[in-house]
Amino acid sequence: MASSMAAATAVASSSYLSPSPVAAERPTTGGRVFFPGASVSSRSLRLPRAGARSPATRKPRSKGIVAALADPLKVMISGAPASGKGTQCELIKAKYGVVHISAGDLLRAEIAAGTENGKQAKEFMEKGQLVPDEIVVNMVKDRLLQPDAQENGWLLDGYPRSYSQAMALETLNIRPDIFLLLEVPDELLVERVVGRRLDPETGKIYHLKYSPPESEEIAARLTQRFDDTEEKVKLRLETYYNNVGSLLSTYDDVIVKVKGDVTVDEVFAEIDKLLDSSLAKKAEKVASA
């Protein structure tokens, strides 16, 4: 029951981020859900395919190269609800050792710790208002300036969400080496979200089609999030596409689409290739400096 309450708290605090946030896949260790690909077509954001920016040949990454980098890897990642972003964040963090930073997680942590940013955010939330960009940007900035993020690099998850947030980060000279944009067809996203179910006793996430419960007893107690309906998912998708569209002009030189309607391993293989290439380019700059 504690785990389900924690999950509910996470959803509630994230909903106060401005603009209206996009619910992301955040599979837990005990309840990771992997979805198969689909052949349906997806809407286009008119960006180059993932491999388009990768060099024809790339140098293999080594611990020596990573350690020699004066400027560690900086990554932003975005994806629609149920795009598998949470799973890919776990894989990126595990392989590259970057610090995974989520604005929603920061908001909850700052409030729990009673920091000045947290106190200000809590005042808005208690009034049922969205937390202003300025407060969230300050939280993100402070976290990115901590030693672990400075030394190991960072993975900024689902943020910025709007042009104003992106501009606020730009004024602070916070900019990624690469912006990964997971692309999954709308039809598949809707199917993934509508079929999701939560076990309130264990906090484990199931999917009626792809990861069904192990027994009838578990199936009987599964619940569905109030906004995991087709109508509300489509509204969340529209919000997401509008938000992402507003970021294109800011990150057009570093943003790359990654095909997300294939297997988890195939998605990560493409991401791994892109990050490896980015590291190699940074190593070349260090070597030539």
Side-chain angles (χ1 to χ4, degrees):
M1 181 63 69
S3 58
S4 61
M5 292 178 64
T9 302
V11 171
S13 57
S14 294
S15 66
Y16 287 95
L17 291 173
S18 176
S20 180
V22 177
E25 276 300 299
R26 297 191 180 281
T28 59
T29 302
R32 182 175 299 171
V33 179
F34 294 143
F35 299 99
S39 58
V40 291
S41 59
S42 64
R43 79 171 69 192
S44 173
L45 291 176
R46 297 182 181 177
L47 296 173
R49 281 291 173 188
R53 293 181 185 266
S54 301
T57 59
R58 56 187 175 84
K59 298 179 181 180
R61 183 172 63 89
S62 68
K63 292 182 179 180
I65 288 179
V66 176
L69 290 176
D71 186 21
L73 192 61
K74 303 177 182 69
V75 183
M76 288 182 179
I77 186 169
S78 182
S83 63
K85 179 168 62 69
T87 299
Q88 294 304 320
C89 284
E90 290 181 358
L91 296 173
I92 293 170
K93 177 183 176 182
K95 176 158 187 182
Y96 290 89
V98 291
V99 177
H100 180 204
I101 299 171
S102 161
D105 291 343
L106 285 180
L107 181 61
R108 290 186 288 275
E110 294 269 349
I111 292 174
T115 66
E116 187 59 34
N117 283 331
K119 291 177 181 178
Q120 292 181 35
K122 188 175 181 181
E123 289 180 6
F124 286 95
M125 292 170 62
E126 288 178 342
K127 296 175 183 177
Q129 301 173 352
L130 295 175
V131 179
D133 285 348
E134 180 182 357
I135 294 177
V136 182
V137 169
N138 282 334
M139 290 182 182
V140 172
K141 177 197 69 174
D142 292 345
R143 183 64 186 90
L144 292 176
L145 290 177
Q146 291 184 19
D148 58 345
Q150 291 289 300
E151 295 171 7
N152 302 317
W154 44 261
L155 171 63
L156 193 51
D157 177 0
Y159 195 88
R161 290 183 173 92
S162 68
Y163 179 77
S164 61
Q165 292 171 355
M167 286 296 96
L169 294 179
E170 289 284 299
T171 60
L172 297 171
N173 293 318
I174 297 173
R175 187 173 179 80
D177 300 310
I178 186 169
F179 191 122
L180 301 170
L181 181 61
L182 297 180
E183 185 183 57
V184 179
D186 286 1
E187 294 87 346
L188 183 55
L189 291 171
V190 171
E191 181 184 53
R192 288 178 176 181
V193 172
V194 172
R196 285 191 305 205
R197 295 293 186 274
L198 172 70
D199 184 341
E201 291 190 9
T202 65
K204 185 175 180 179
I205 298 172
Y206 293 92
H207 192 279
L208 297 182
K209 179 178 179 180
Y210 302 126
S211 181
E214 297 88 348
S215 67
E216 292 185 3
E217 178 183 356
I218 296 176
R221 66 177 185 244
L222 295 183
T223 61
Q224 183 180 29
R225 247 179 62 171
F226 74 93
D227 56 349
D228 277 356
T229 63
E230 183 172 350
E231 180 182 2
K232 292 185 177 181
V233 170
K234 288 182 176 179
L235 290 175
R236 286 156 61 194
L237 286 176
E238 285 302 318
T239 299
Y240 168 75
Y241 288 122
N242 289 335
N243 292 343
V244 169
S246 70
L247 301 176
L248 300 185
S249 61
T250 306
Y251 300 111
D252 61 343
D253 59 331
V254 293
I255 196 167
V256 184
K257 282 198 302 185
V258 177
K259 185 177 174 61
D261 59 343
V262 292
T263 67
V264 170
D265 290 342
E266 288 174 314
V267 174
F268 183 67
E270 191 59 49
I271 289 176
D272 190 26
K273 189 188 304 180
L274 291 165
L275 298 184
D276 203 22
S277 175
S278 183
L279 278 173
K281 291 177 182 177
K282 291 164 75 71
E284 288 175 3
K285 290 182 179 179
V286 171
S288 61

